[in-house]
Amino acid sequence: MFFNLQYENITIGYVESTTGNVSLHAGANQIPFFGELQKSSVPGSHKAILDVIQNFLTEQTSDVSAVAGSNCTSYPILATGMAGLSLGVEMPPFDKQLIASLSFGSMSLVPSTQAKSVILSASISISINSPLGANSPLSLTSMDMNADLVYQNKTVGSLEVLGSPVVQINATVYQTTFKDKLLILAGTGATYEKFAQDFIRASDANPIQFRVSGTASVTGSFALGGLAVSGIKVDNVVAIGGLDGLHDVTVDGISIDGEEGSAFRLSVKATIGNPGITTVRLEDFTLTMADSLTDTVMGRIPVDVLEIHPGNNTVQLHG
């Protein structure tokens, strides 16, 4: 048996029975079919296929019709009687989330001059669940994303990334990099402050976890030509190591630059180790110099700006 597949009255492919001889009995009959989506010369065919793919990847059902033609069966008399028969078929969506996981290869958080926002740059690896099988892989070239960063069930901020290029690493892993995007902080920014404090304490052994939740749009191609899909669900938990409490600090040298009132002016050269993958810029804070045995505070060093990159950072501090 052979049926044409139609979506909104436009032919998009076919299905045929998997066995040569099919017996139809009174009542309901369950018949296995296989088939293909095929682009044709019929106007609107490619768009109809893209609409079905859009629905398939965004958790929507497509109402497809299986339409019998003059060749629907090898028995001419039966084929004549069945010609024009249209069976409504619900094509279910992909049963997995397309974006299986996100992992950050690098990240930068820098305070913005714009109120209640942070400048975010990142390199992200995107693993996908292959929706069309190994013989019809997706080839993605760019991505848009509108998403919230959520920490401890509270929104840290909202991020919009447009036209970010995508590089394919293998059949199911892609990488995208974006720079200097505004993370618009939610509410008073208190959740971001909590996230930042916990991030500084986090380490590879005890990473901080947050969720990226929103939607994405992708462009690229697949077996039948160009592809553009919007409204793809993004809902992934990300774990990332932080600054490990800035415990890796080595004082390389101290010089006394004179007196100021009842205190000495000091210049301190230090190396600060950042074991993570994130560049962080800290502003307007104070470092305390204390005796390592008694914790007696010997002095304080105000810091206007301190930018810490992954690895060892040599800094010159004055206080």
Side-chain angles (χ1 to χ4, degrees), residues 24 56 74 127 189 213 235 283 305 317:
L24 297 177
F56 182 67
S74 57
S127 294
S213 179
D235 191 15
E283 295 185 349
V305 177
L317 306 171

Side-chain angles (χ1 to χ4, degrees), residues 196-217:
Q197 291 167 1
D198 291 350
F199 173 78
I200 291 173
R201 289 191 288 267
S203 64
D204 287 343
N206 296 288
I208 191 170
Q209 291 189 341
F210 59 94
R211 187 160 54 89
V212 180
S213 179
T215 59
S217 302

Side-chain angles (χ1 to χ4, degrees), residues 39-61:
K39 185 171 59 175
S40 71
S41 58
V42 176
S45 170
H46 186 57
K47 181 182 182 303
I49 290 175
L50 291 182
D51 288 345
V52 171
I53 297 296
Q54 164 83 30
N55 292 341
F56 182 67
L57 297 180
T58 56
E59 302 181 343
Q60 300 179 69
T61 298

Side-chain angles (χ1 to χ4, degrees), residues 17 66 201 277 319:
S17 56
R201 289 191 288 267
I277 61 169

